[in-house]
Amino acid sequence: MAYLISLSREIVRKRRLILDLAKADFRKRFVGSYFGVVWMFVQPLVTVLIYFFIFQVGFKSTPPVAGASYLMWLVPGIVPWFFFSEALNNVTNCLQEYSYLVKKVVFQVEILPIIKLISCMIMHGFFVLIMLIVYLVSGRRPMISWLQIIYYSFAASLLTLGLGYFTSAVNIFFKDMAQIVSICLQFGMWLTPIMYDASQFSDYPWLDGVLKINPFYYIAAGYRDSMLTGAWFWERPRLMLYYWAVTVVIGLLGLKVFKRLRPHFSDVL
């Protein structure tokens, strides 16, 4: 607990440095690229179009929310997943990427995953803006519940950070960790009801409970509640308590592993 309090104080004290490094990291992605930021949107948009044609045009999938097209139902589920998967991949590799900072004795390496996370959140902000535009163009009137996107983005960030502290620390000593994370994210996308709804499997009523074991279920459902139904986060109390309990445990374990392995980072790098 003392370590967590000390880290929190360090983050507050160096908040300006963290923001500056996060902005620099975001800009660095587009250095030497002719189309620059355009490439950040191409793959996600192509992914959305592929799922749209497969599930709505091909399988004629009907969203469980009345009056919503499949695209309007898909986007709030897949936008937070893009953020989560990109951020976790980037955080996992951040210590190698910034190895020159890790080797500096005076540098607080715990802020490197936070820098990567904020950099990915900047991109996530653009996707949230696109999502809002899609809804407005589709004729949806703005709802006060849309503001909950801030809460669910914060919740997803803490889960990502907790996992990222663990994976980034282990990745220094076990280089295959990055590949394992990538494979797990591929499975995770299908284990989260993003392209489909659990109600489609009415013959297997136990499946909904199994899917809810995945903590990201709460985030995807929360984005859809916020954008489509107007339901508030406290209307899923059991799921909310489960999510935060899992997130806190993952965060504490991730920090513990990171702290234990930190003295050996510079030796390995």
Side-chain angles (χ1 to χ4, degrees), residues 225-238:
D225 286 344
S226 302
M227 299 300 299
L228 287 170
T229 67
W232 294 95
F233 66 90
W234 57 77
E235 295 181 40
R236 294 177 181 265
R238 294 177 61 185

Side-chain angles (χ1 to χ4, degrees), residues 70-90:
Y70 179 78
L71 181 63
M72 294 175 66
W73 184 80
L74 172 65
V75 170
I78 206 168
V79 163
W81 182 262
F82 285 150
F83 164 62
F84 175 71
S85 58
E86 182 196 13
L88 187 55
N89 274 319
N90 277 274

